Amino acid sequence: MTTGIPPSTPPKRSRARTLVPLAIAAWLLAEIWLLITVASAAGGLTVLALLVGGAVLGGYVIKRAGRRAFQNLTETLQQQQYGAAGPGAAQPGSEGNTFTMLGGLLLMVPGLLSDVLGLLCLVPPVRKALGRYAERSLEKRMRAARPGTLGDAFQQARMHQPDGKVVQGEVIREDAGSAPYREDRGPRPPLT
């Protein structure tokens, strides 16, 4: 018996879902190879000292950047509360806080490549260049996005799932003075 509905084909796997695991595996192999190479040239204790030093430095950087972010937040809230600055006023030095924290996190991850990238994120010109790139990328994506609210985006995403079932319905609210449920209606039908 045919239903007249063509068989659905499974959705194609996105390029990112294919390449990201491969990139992570390549990254891990490069980290291990570099650790072995440096350990054979300089010694195992030197590599251990580098890894521990990177973790300690990363923790310090994240702690300091977190304090700075909290301080900027409290200053902004106080200025808005007392009317010293408008709601759009930016705090100096707050734009690079994200990449400072990313640099600290990369320093804490064991590996020499991640330590080098973490140290690069701590250099102010690199931080500014990364910030400009991220801002341009975000603006381009925002311009390409369809208009609507975030709720609309979630609704569209849910309704466009190939196997998702959406039940159309409506909410009926009773008057505020009425009882939450009435016993005179009888038993309710089961939900299926």
Side-chain angles (χ1 to χ4, degrees), residues 3-4 20 62 123 139 154 162 164 168 173 189:
T3 60
V20 168
I62 287 179
V123 176
E139 284 176 1
F154 284 125
Q168 300 294 334
R173 295 184 184 179

Side-chain angles (χ1 to χ4, degrees), residues 44-57:
L45 289 178
T46 305
V47 171
L48 181 64
L50 284 173
L51 294 177
V52 170
V56 170
L57 180 64

Side-chain angles (χ1 to χ4, degrees), residues 117-181:
L117 287 177
L119 288 172
L120 280 176
C121 284
L122 297 179
V123 176
V126 174
R127 254 195 339 244
K128 287 181 182 179
L130 286 173
R132 285 192 302 264
Y133 174 75
E135 188 176 351
R136 281 193 309 262
S137 175
L138 184 63
E139 284 176 1
K140 187 190 323 183
R141 286 179 186 243
M142 293 300 287
R143 275 188 255 121
R146 290 190 283 178
T149 63
L150 188 59
D152 291 339
F154 284 125
Q155 179 72 13
Q156 291 169 0
R158 190 184 87 223
M159 291 176 70
H160 288 91
Q161 292 293 325
D163 60 343
K165 295 179 183 177
V166 178
V167 178
Q168 300 294 334
E170 64 180 323
V171 176
I172 300 174
R173 295 184 184 179
E174 296 183 2
D175 295 332
S178 66
Y181 61 93

Side-chain angles (χ1 to χ4, degrees), residues 8-184:
S8 63
T9 59
K12 291 182 80 175
R13 190 172 180 150
S14 71
R15 187 177 296 174
R17 287 186 63 188
T18 303
L19 294 179
V20 168
L22 291 174
I24 291 173
W27 178 276
L28 290 174
L29 286 175
E31 288 279 14
I32 292 169
W33 174 79
L34 188 60
L35 285 172
I36 291 171
T37 304
V38 171
S40 66
L45 289 178
T46 305
V47 171
L48 181 64
L50 284 173
L51 294 177
V52 170
V56 170
L57 180 64
Y60 174 74
V61 166
I62 287 179
K63 183 177 179 181
R64 188 166 175 216
R67 273 195 201 136
R68 192 177 318 129
F70 184 73
Q71 182 181 10
N72 287 342
L73 177 68
T74 55
E75 287 174 3
T76 302
L77 291 175
Q78 287 176 353
Q79 286 177 353
Q80 286 180 359
Q81 181 181 8
Y82 297 118
Q91 293 294 322
S94 64
E95 64 276 349
N97 224 11
T98 303
F99 291 106
T100 303
M101 286 187 147
L102 177 65
L105 181 66
L106 285 171
L107 282 169
M108 289 181 72
V109 171
L112 298 177
L113 289 176
S114 61
D115 286 351
V116 169
L117 287 177
L119 288 172
L120 280 176
C121 284
L122 297 179
V123 176
V126 174
R127 254 195 339 244
K128 287 181 182 179
L130 286 173
R132 285 192 302 264
Y133 174 75
E135 188 176 351
R136 281 193 309 262
S137 175
L138 184 63
E139 284 176 1
K140 187 190 323 183
R141 286 179 186 243
M142 293 300 287
R143 275 188 255 121
R146 290 190 283 178
T149 63
L150 188 59
D152 291 339
F154 284 125
Q155 179 72 13
Q156 291 169 0
R158 190 184 87 223
M159 291 176 70
H160 288 91
Q161 292 293 325
D163 60 343
K165 295 179 183 177
V166 178
V167 178
Q168 300 294 334
E170 64 180 323
V171 176
I172 300 174
R173 295 184 184 179
E174 296 183 2
D175 295 332
S178 66
Y181 61 93
R182 297 182 200 150
E183 296 177 12
D184 60 311

